[in-house]
Structure formats: C-alpha cells, structure tokens
Amino acid sequence: MSQVRIVTDSSAELDPSVAVELGITVIPLDICRGADTITDDPCFCSGDFFHQVVKNREHLCVRPPAAQRFETAYRRLSHETSDIVSLHLSSAMNPTVSAACQARDQLLGRVDIRVIDTRFVSHALGYIVTQTAKTAARGASLDDVVKYARDLISRTYYAFAVPTPEALKNSGIYQETYNFGVNGGRHILPLLTLEDGVITPQFQMRSRGPIVDRLTEFVTEFTEWEHLSLVHTSLNPEVKAFRERLSEVANSKQFTEHVYGPVWGSIVGPQAMGAVIVAP
C-alpha cells in the first residue's frame, strides 16, 4: 500500500523545511499587493512584511490558485501514490477548495483524492496539515487519515482580536450584524473566533475588560491542551502583555508563537492577535 500524500495551500503558512520533511505539497495563492501581484511565500510571514504594508498604505487581497495548479500537482503525485488528502483554508473566505475540487474531478478513476475544507486558515490550518501528514507517514490508510484530519478539525479553536472594525470591513468579510458598539467614542471590540469557517463575534464573555483579558479567558476555558500557539505579526502593541499572560496560564506547559502571513492578513489586517488551541 502506497503512503497517503498530503496537499495544502500556502495559507497554511508552513515552514518549507517542515513541508519537505513530511512530503507535503503546497500550492501557493497569489497576493495582490497594491498594483503588484506576487506569489505567496513563507518569507512573507514576518513583521517586516507587514511593517512595509502599513508604511506604504498597501491593501492586500488574495486570488485562489487556478484549478490547473492543483491538477498538475495531483497528476505528479499520482505517480507516487493512489491516495491523496488535500486540506485547505475555509471556503467561506476563499474559493481555493472549489479549485481543488475541479482538479480532483479531472482525475476521477485515476487517483483517490479527498478534498477537505478545514474551516481554518493560518497556523490553525498549518497545525492540522502537519499532524495529518505525520499520521499519513506512519502508514495510516486513506480512510484513517481522513478520519484523523476531521477529528483534529473538530478539536481546533482559534480566537483573535483586531484593533478596529475597519480591518474586517476592508476584507469584505465584515458583516453589519457583528454590531461593533461604541462607548465613549471608542469601539467595543468583541473577541472573534472561527466557527465553521466563519468569523464570529463572541459577546458572551465574562470579562468586559481589555482584549488581553478576554483572550486569556478564552484560553483558560481549556484545562488541558494538545497544542497552544500565540499568533500575531508583532505589530500589535498588546502582544507582549498577552505573551506574559500565556506564560502564566501555561505554567510549565509549552506554547509556540507564529507570525501569520498575507492571506490571513488580507482578511484581518496587520495587527490581529490571537491564540490557536487544540483540545486533547
């Protein structure tokens, strides 16, 4: 039985060395940066990239990969395996899943391709992809790899905050039903989560204080976790405070940090800050 091969897109923000080590094929999205169109690359997951975006007052937008890119990758992998699992960012944010499905349909009967809308993006997607690839590397069957991926998706949570509602308005994903309030001339910014791939405000938090308090409250709802990561670009001035709070909450447990890239940045802006947590 050949090993199940894993495909994802660049919004997973994988370190290239990890992708190579685990045999993950990454299909890049295209980033529109001002008047230029560039191919998404892991090097853009940096505070310097977003500093330049802010300095130049650039607006980021994202184009999904053409179906042909997926078909080319699937055809190449079909010479190595009969089974492929293709894991991608939320279809509510970008039609990449649709492009992958179009390519899959061109190869029906030649290779078994399971396309999964993970309903996540950025580091949340990246963690799902890497752990699924490790499962495949251990020799799991196609059905077992898919089962593992779907179970991991169900245990993954991403909460975050943006400094102003404009960050979401500019992405085109903002909905007036989010009802950002105003108090004393200041926006009342709710904690945001990804639920079924959709950005969803959480107004029922116990804490009404600073956003760091609300993010910390979200994390402390979990007494145990498989994985915890602070996700940011370093441009948000509250990152240091949240890092210190996570250190207190984690105690002796380890947590990681991840700088997100332009795909997620095109949706939430350059100053979002949050936590990805995976329950056991």
Side-chain angles (χ1 to χ4, degrees):
M1 181 179 68
S2 59
Q3 179 180 317
V4 177
R5 307 298 287 187
I6 305 298
V7 176
T8 190
D9 57 77
S10 61
S11 74
E13 301 167 352
L14 297 182
D15 185 303
S17 64
V18 172
V20 170
E21 178 186 355
L22 296 176
I24 301 168
T25 298
V26 180
I27 307 299
L29 285 80
D30 291 324
I31 309 298
C32 301
R33 180 182 179 182
D36 299 324
T37 299
I38 57 179
T39 300
D40 193 15
D41 189 274
C43 70
F44 300 143
C45 294
S46 73
D48 289 342
F49 173 82
F50 284 101
H51 177 76
Q52 290 299 317
V53 168
V54 172
K55 179 181 177 181
N56 298 330
R57 298 183 179 181
E58 295 171 332
H59 174 65
L60 298 177
C61 63
V62 177
R63 293 176 182 170
Q68 184 60 47
R69 285 189 187 177
F70 284 103
E71 185 176 343
T72 298
Y74 293 157
R75 286 186 184 278
R76 176 179 58 80
L77 290 173
S78 70
H79 297 298
E80 306 171 14
T81 184
S82 58
D83 302 312
I84 297 171
V85 175
S86 205
L87 300 147
H88 301 289
L89 80 160
S90 170
S91 59
M93 299 179 181
N94 184 281
T96 294
V97 165
S98 178
C101 289
Q102 291 177 43
R104 174 202 61 195
D105 294 346
Q106 294 300 312
L107 297 172
L108 288 176
R110 301 183 189 181
V111 59
D112 195 343
I113 304 171
R114 309 288 178 88
V115 177
I116 298 177
D117 178 353
T118 68
R119 307 193 295 275
F120 285 103
V121 66
S122 184
H123 182 64
L125 170 58
Y127 185 80
I128 291 166
V129 170
T130 55
Q131 296 306 114
T132 301
K134 290 177 182 178
T135 298
R138 289 192 287 267
S141 68
L142 176 61
D143 287 341
D144 284 344
V145 170
V146 171
K147 181 179 179 181
Y148 174 83
R150 294 195 182 283
D151 173 69
L152 186 55
I153 290 167
S154 72
R155 296 186 282 112
T156 300
Y157 302 85
Y158 188 8
F160 61 97
V162 296
T164 67
E166 282 69 30
L168 296 178
K169 288 179 180 178
N170 290 339
S171 74
I173 291 178
Y174 172 87
Q175 300 178 26
E176 293 301 328
T177 54
Y178 288 175
N179 290 324
F180 286 95
V182 177
N183 182 14
R186 295 189 307 141
H187 288 287
I188 303 172
L189 300 175
L191 189 71
L192 302 167
T193 59
L194 282 180
E195 294 190 3
D196 292 325
V198 177
I199 295 175
T200 306
Q202 302 296 320
F203 293 107
Q204 305 303 316
M205 305 294 290
R206 293 189 302 274
S207 173
R208 297 290 181 179
I211 196 63
V212 168
D213 291 348
R214 282 176 278 165
L215 283 168
T216 303
E217 179 188 329
F218 168 80
V219 173
T220 56
E221 290 178 357
F222 299 83
T223 56
E224 297 289 339
W225 59 77
E226 173 185 314
H227 178 77
L228 172 64
S229 186
L230 166 59
V231 182
H232 61 92
T233 65
S234 76
L235 271 66
N236 191 311
E238 299 292 335
V239 168
K240 181 180 179 181
F242 187 37
R243 182 186 296 117
E244 291 173 351
R245 294 291 294 277
L246 283 183
S247 295
E248 295 171 3
V249 169
N251 197 2
S252 60
K253 299 176 185 176
Q254 296 292 318
F255 68 90
T256 66
E257 287 195 41
H258 178 83
V259 176
Y260 64 81
V263 176
W264 189 221
S266 72
I267 296 169
V268 297
Q271 292 185 298
M273 175 182 68
V276 170
I277 191 163
V278 180

